[in-house]
PDB file of all heavy atoms in Angstrom:
ATOM      1  N   ASP A  62     112.726 -16.953 -77.887  1.00  0.00           N
ATOM      2  CA  ASP A  62     112.145 -16.838 -79.249  1.00  0.00           C
ATOM      3  C   ASP A  62     110.721 -16.070 -79.206  1.00  0.00           C
ATOM      4  O   ASP A  62     110.572 -15.291 -80.053  1.00  0.00           O
ATOM      5  CB  ASP A  62     111.926 -18.302 -79.812  1.00  0.00           C
ATOM      6  CG  ASP A  62     113.290 -18.844 -80.248  1.00  0.00           C
ATOM      7  OD1 ASP A  62     114.303 -18.234 -80.405  1.00  0.00           O
ATOM      8  OD2 ASP A  62     113.375 -20.050 -80.552  1.00  0.00           O
ATOM      9  N   PHE A  63     109.996 -16.395 -78.124  1.00  0.00           N
ATOM     10  CA  PHE A  63     108.697 -15.735 -78.113  1.00  0.00           C
ATOM     11  C   PHE A  63     108.847 -14.193 -77.909  1.00  0.00           C
ATOM     12  O   PHE A  63     108.181 -13.488 -78.540  1.00  0.00           O
ATOM     13  CB  PHE A  63     107.943 -16.358 -76.904  1.00  0.00           C
ATOM     14  CG  PHE A  63     106.599 -15.707 -76.689  1.00  0.00           C
ATOM     15  CD1 PHE A  63     105.504 -16.085 -77.302  1.00  0.00           C
ATOM     16  CD2 PHE A  63     106.462 -14.569 -75.803  1.00  0.00           C
ATOM     17  CE1 PHE A  63     104.247 -15.408 -77.139  1.00  0.00           C
ATOM     18  CE2 PHE A  63     105.289 -13.897 -75.519  1.00  0.00           C
ATOM     19  CZ  PHE A  63     104.131 -14.331 -76.173  1.00  0.00           C
ATOM     20  N   VAL A  64     109.742 -13.801 -77.056  1.00  0.00           N
ATOM     21  CA  VAL A  64     109.836 -12.281 -76.932  1.00  0.00           C
ATOM     22  C   VAL A  64     110.492 -11.610 -78.159  1.00  0.00           C
ATOM     23  O   VAL A  64     110.124 -10.564 -78.579  1.00  0.00           O
ATOM     24  CB  VAL A  64     110.768 -12.085 -75.652  1.00  0.00           C
ATOM     25  CG1 VAL A  64     111.281 -10.740 -75.525  1.00  0.00           C
ATOM     26  CG2 VAL A  64     110.093 -12.581 -74.367  1.00  0.00           C
ATOM     27  N   ASN A  65     111.409 -12.245 -78.705  1.00  0.00           N
ATOM     28  CA  ASN A  65     112.069 -11.773 -79.910  1.00  0.00           C
ATOM     29  C   ASN A  65     111.223 -11.635 -81.065  1.00  0.00           C
ATOM     30  O   ASN A  65     111.506 -10.789 -82.004  1.00  0.00           O
ATOM     31  CB  ASN A  65     113.356 -12.537 -80.231  1.00  0.00           C
ATOM     32  CG  ASN A  65     114.519 -12.273 -79.247  1.00  0.00           C
ATOM     33  OD1 ASN A  65     114.529 -11.223 -78.552  1.00  0.00           O
ATOM     34  ND2 ASN A  65     115.456 -13.181 -79.241  1.00  0.00           N
ATOM     35  N   THR A  66     110.227 -12.663 -81.230  1.00  0.00           N
ATOM     36  CA  THR A  66     109.374 -12.675 -82.416  1.00  0.00           C
ATOM     37  C   THR A  66     108.110 -12.052 -82.244  1.00  0.00           C
ATOM     38  O   THR A  66     107.345 -11.828 -83.196  1.00  0.00           O
ATOM     39  CB  THR A  66     109.216 -14.015 -82.985  1.00  0.00           C
ATOM     40  OG1 THR A  66     108.668 -15.007 -81.867  1.00  0.00           O
ATOM     41  CG2 THR A  66     110.586 -14.614 -83.393  1.00  0.00           C
ATOM     42  N   ASN A  67     107.619 -11.650 -81.074  1.00  0.00           N
ATOM     43  CA  ASN A  67     106.352 -11.195 -80.767  1.00  0.00           C
ATOM     44  C   ASN A  67     106.538  -9.648 -80.404  1.00  0.00           C
ATOM     45  O   ASN A  67     106.937  -9.221 -79.245  1.00  0.00           O
ATOM     46  CB  ASN A  67     105.724 -11.768 -79.571  1.00  0.00           C
ATOM     47  CG  ASN A  67     104.365 -11.454 -79.354  1.00  0.00           C
ATOM     48  OD1 ASN A  67     103.878 -10.353 -79.790  1.00  0.00           O
ATOM     49  ND2 ASN A  67     103.456 -12.248 -78.826  1.00  0.00           N
ATOM     50  N   ARG A  68     106.278  -8.731 -81.421  1.00  0.00           N
ATOM     51  CA  ARG A  68     106.475  -7.363 -81.285  1.00  0.00           C
ATOM     52  C   ARG A  68     105.463  -6.723 -80.358  1.00  0.00           C
ATOM     53  O   ARG A  68     105.612  -5.537 -79.968  1.00  0.00           O
ATOM     54  CB  ARG A  68     106.412  -6.628 -82.543  1.00  0.00           C
ATOM     55  CG  ARG A  68     107.468  -7.117 -83.426  1.00  0.00           C
ATOM     56  CD  ARG A  68     107.490  -6.438 -84.869  1.00  0.00           C
ATOM     57  NE  ARG A  68     108.543  -7.060 -85.595  1.00  0.00           N
ATOM     58  CZ  ARG A  68     108.961  -6.640 -86.740  1.00  0.00           C
ATOM     59  NH1 ARG A  68     108.324  -5.582 -87.283  1.00  0.00           N
ATOM     60  NH2 ARG A  68     109.803  -7.167 -87.527  1.00  0.00           N
ATOM     61  N   PHE A  69     104.444  -7.415 -80.022  1.00  0.00           N
ATOM     62  CA  PHE A  69     103.322  -6.871 -79.083  1.00  0.00           C
ATOM     63  C   PHE A  69     103.660  -7.169 -77.665  1.00  0.00           C
ATOM     64  O   PHE A  69     102.674  -6.740 -76.851  1.00  0.00           O
ATOM     65  CB  PHE A  69     101.977  -7.288 -79.604  1.00  0.00           C
ATOM     66  CG  PHE A  69     101.613  -6.894 -81.053  1.00  0.00           C
ATOM     67  CD1 PHE A  69     101.587  -7.721 -81.994  1.00  0.00           C
ATOM     68  CD2 PHE A  69     101.430  -5.463 -81.195  1.00  0.00           C
ATOM     69  CE1 PHE A  69     101.196  -7.319 -83.374  1.00  0.00           C
ATOM     70  CE2 PHE A  69     101.090  -5.083 -82.443  1.00  0.00           C
ATOM     71  CZ  PHE A  69     100.893  -6.033 -83.426  1.00  0.00           C
ATOM     72  N   VAL A  70     104.637  -7.799 -77.261  1.00  0.00           N
ATOM     73  CA  VAL A  70     104.875  -8.117 -75.864  1.00  0.00           C
ATOM     74  C   VAL A  70     104.787  -6.821 -74.950  1.00  0.00           C
ATOM     75  O   VAL A  70     104.199  -6.690 -74.005  1.00  0.00           O
ATOM     76  CB  VAL A  70     106.085  -8.825 -75.589  1.00  0.00           C
ATOM     77  CG1 VAL A  70     106.452  -8.993 -74.176  1.00  0.00           C
ATOM     78  CG2 VAL A  70     106.004 -10.362 -76.127  1.00  0.00           C
ATOM     79  N   PRO A  71     105.719  -5.707 -75.475  1.00  0.00           N
ATOM     80  CA  PRO A  71     105.632  -4.546 -74.580  1.00  0.00           C
ATOM     81  C   PRO A  71     104.258  -3.971 -74.485  1.00  0.00           C
ATOM     82  O   PRO A  71     103.950  -3.189 -73.462  1.00  0.00           O
ATOM     83  CB  PRO A  71     106.511  -3.605 -75.350  1.00  0.00           C
ATOM     84  CG  PRO A  71     107.418  -4.422 -76.209  1.00  0.00           C
ATOM     85  CD  PRO A  71     106.450  -5.557 -76.546  1.00  0.00           C
ATOM     86  N   CYS A  72     103.352  -4.016 -75.360  1.00  0.00           N
ATOM     87  CA  CYS A  72     102.066  -3.443 -75.283  1.00  0.00           C
ATOM     88  C   CYS A  72     100.881  -4.484 -75.179  1.00  0.00           C
ATOM     89  O   CYS A  72      99.839  -4.096 -75.764  1.00  0.00           O
ATOM     90  CB  CYS A  72     101.775  -2.308 -76.431  1.00  0.00           C
ATOM     91  SG  CYS A  72     101.919  -3.111 -78.116  1.00  0.00           S
ATOM     92  N   TRP A  73     101.188  -5.590 -74.798  1.00  0.00           N
ATOM     93  CA  TRP A  73     100.206  -6.702 -74.595  1.00  0.00           C
ATOM     94  C   TRP A  73      99.008  -6.202 -73.969  1.00  0.00           C
ATOM     95  O   TRP A  73      97.860  -6.378 -74.441  1.00  0.00           O
ATOM     96  CB  TRP A  73     100.799  -7.873 -73.814  1.00  0.00           C
ATOM     97  CG  TRP A  73      99.951  -9.012 -73.751  1.00  0.00           C
ATOM     98  CD1 TRP A  73      99.008  -9.311 -72.872  1.00  0.00           C
ATOM     99  CD2 TRP A  73      99.882 -10.115 -74.715  1.00  0.00           C
ATOM    100  NE1 TRP A  73      98.318 -10.567 -73.115  1.00  0.00           N
ATOM    101  CE2 TRP A  73      98.920 -10.916 -74.327  1.00  0.00           C
ATOM    102  CE3 TRP A  73     100.532 -10.379 -75.890  1.00  0.00           C
ATOM    103  CZ2 TRP A  73      98.590 -12.240 -74.874  1.00  0.00           C
ATOM    104  CZ3 TRP A  73     100.293 -11.663 -76.601  1.00  0.00           C
ATOM    105  CH2 TRP A  73      99.350 -12.441 -76.095  1.00  0.00           C
ATOM    106  N   ARG A  74      98.956  -5.483 -72.858  1.00  0.00           N
ATOM    107  CA  ARG A  74      97.817  -5.161 -72.199  1.00  0.00           C
ATOM    108  C   ARG A  74      96.906  -4.098 -72.940  1.00  0.00           C
ATOM    109  O   ARG A  74      95.692  -4.255 -73.106  1.00  0.00           O
ATOM    110  CB  ARG A  74      98.135  -4.534 -70.767  1.00  0.00           C
ATOM    111  CG  ARG A  74      97.041  -3.980 -69.976  1.00  0.00           C
ATOM    112  CD  ARG A  74      97.376  -3.540 -68.632  1.00  0.00           C
ATOM    113  NE  ARG A  74      97.434  -4.725 -67.813  1.00  0.00           N
ATOM    114  CZ  ARG A  74      98.483  -4.863 -66.886  1.00  0.00           C
ATOM    115  NH1 ARG A  74      99.331  -4.059 -66.609  1.00  0.00           N
ATOM    116  NH2 ARG A  74      98.497  -6.078 -66.290  1.00  0.00           N
TER     117      ARG A  74
END
Side-chain angles (χ1 to χ4, degrees):
D62 288 346
F63 178 84
V64 171
N65 287 341
T66 59
N67 188 336
R68 296 179 186 189
F69 295 111
V70 169
C72 60
W73 183 270
R74 179 171 282 140

